[in-house]
Amino acid sequence: MISDNVRRVENAIIRACERAGRDPAAVTLVAVSKTKPAAQVIEAYAAGVRHFGENRVEEANAKIVAVNAELGTAPIWHMIGHIQSRKARDVVAYQGQRLFGLVHSIDDTPLAAKLDRAVSLTGGTPLPWLAQVNVSGEASKSGFEGQGWERESAVLDTLVAQLREAAALPGLELRGLMTMAPIVDDAEAVRPVFRSLAGLRGALEQRLGMALPELSMGMTDDYEVAVEEGATIVRVGRAIFGER
Ligand SMILES: *Cc1c(COP(=O)(O)O)cnc(C)c1O
């Protein structure tokens, strides 16, 4: 049952917060509903979930319209997947409406510029976003380059310059960082990746002179470790909706 799964994940987040001395209210659970039908989203909503994550814009937009209409209210929708530049406009507005409350997956400055332009064309408030940073260095992961920022000042300097430019775009509102950890058998093995992103957030706040309140990190296999390391948003799919 989806409601049992939601309770289990929420309780695991609370326990992870207790271990880390954190307030559970500071952690937002995003239920990742990609590939799952609207009916399952509504079931999770009934179990108290108010944030949902999608990774493909066409699938997402149709589902969001259906779910919002069925519920008669809108949960907060998160875009978490790679965005092709020709789809940028559909992420900003669909049928004249802003559907996403937060975009986690802006992974380079050209995409940021493209989304900024789409906001200026469609109007509306600045689009809240997270900079996706590749701190693990895995070649398969997209994101602003962040691997080795602790040791190599050039990595941090480049990132500061890129994010300073993107943060200045009037159509976008930078809220924090997102990362994807490598897939490993032992969640402990990814702890250094989460710790690195949390440290990077602090370094960037100082260099950019702005608050970066959100840290989106942790999925089904590793969200408890991510919460221990400071995640403010966890993106959990399979533990709630089952295997895809
Ligand atoms: C699919 C996905 C998730 C959720 O993964 P699970 O392993 O199902 O929890 C989280 N983040 C991103 C970016 C995803 O694409």
Side-chain angles (χ1 to χ4, degrees):
M1 281 276 289
I2 287 173
S3 59
D4 296 332
N5 294 344
V6 169
R7 287 292 93 74
R8 201 174 306 118
V9 171
E10 286 175 342
N11 285 331
I13 290 171
I14 290 168
R15 286 194 303 273
C17 284
E18 281 166 2
R19 289 194 295 277
R22 299 186 59 205
D23 177 3
V27 180
T28 297
L29 170 62
V30 173
V32 176
S33 48
K34 64 188 184 192
T35 79
K36 302 295 181 182
Q40 292 192 14
V41 176
I42 287 160
E43 220 178 307
Y45 185 91
V49 177
R50 293 294 178 268
H51 294 259
F52 293 93
E54 289 284 332
N55 72 331
R56 289 184 50 243
V57 66
E58 303 91 338
E59 176 194 344
N61 285 351
K63 196 186 297 181
I64 293 170
V65 168
V67 168
N68 291 358
E70 172 82 18
L71 290 174
T73 179
I76 297 172
W77 293 92
H78 297 246
M79 169 49 73
I80 63 172
H82 180 67
I83 300 164
Q84 292 171 278
S85 72
R86 64 192 170 84
K87 305 274 172 62
R89 229 179 136 155
D90 296 334
V91 171
V92 168
Y94 180 69
Q95 295 174 347
Q97 271 191 300
R98 174 75 56 80
L99 297 186
F100 289 103
L102 182 64
V103 178
H104 295 225
S105 45
I106 300 187
D107 51 14
D108 62 20
T109 33
L111 177 62
K114 193 114 196 180
L115 290 162
D116 172 65
R117 217 168 308 126
V119 172
S120 74
L121 289 172
T122 55
T125 54
L127 180 70
W129 68 287
L130 307 180
Q132 180 172 351
V133 182
N134 182 352
V135 282
S136 72
E138 261 195 309
S140 61
K141 297 279 190 288
S142 52
F144 290 92
E145 187 51 61
Q147 188 198 18
W149 70 268
E150 299 96 330
R151 295 176 304 280
E152 292 174 49
S153 58
V155 173
L156 184 57
D157 290 346
T158 302
L159 197 51
V160 166
Q162 289 172 318
L163 294 186
R164 186 170 281 138
E165 182 187 330
L169 296 169
L172 301 182
E173 182 194 350
L174 179 59
R175 300 282 304 154
L177 307 180
M178 177 274 220
T179 202
M180 291 192 61
I183 308 287
V184 292
D185 287 335
D186 175 14
E188 274 306 320
V190 296
R191 189 181 293 278
V193 172
F194 297 145
R195 196 166 284 176
S196 178
L197 192 76
L200 178 59
R201 184 255 298 260
L204 288 171
E205 284 185 322
Q206 201 159 42
R207 292 281 298 271
L208 295 170
M210 65 184 289
L212 298 170
E214 305 295 349
L215 272 185
S216 169
M217 54 188 197
M219 318 190 345
T220 289
D221 291 328
D222 52 26
Y223 67 93
E224 295 161 81
V225 174
V227 168
E228 289 172 9
E229 295 300 328
T232 65
I233 302 175
V234 292
R235 311 178 305 267
V236 179
R238 289 168 299 132
I240 290 174
F241 295 106
E243 294 296 324
R244 287 182 292 272

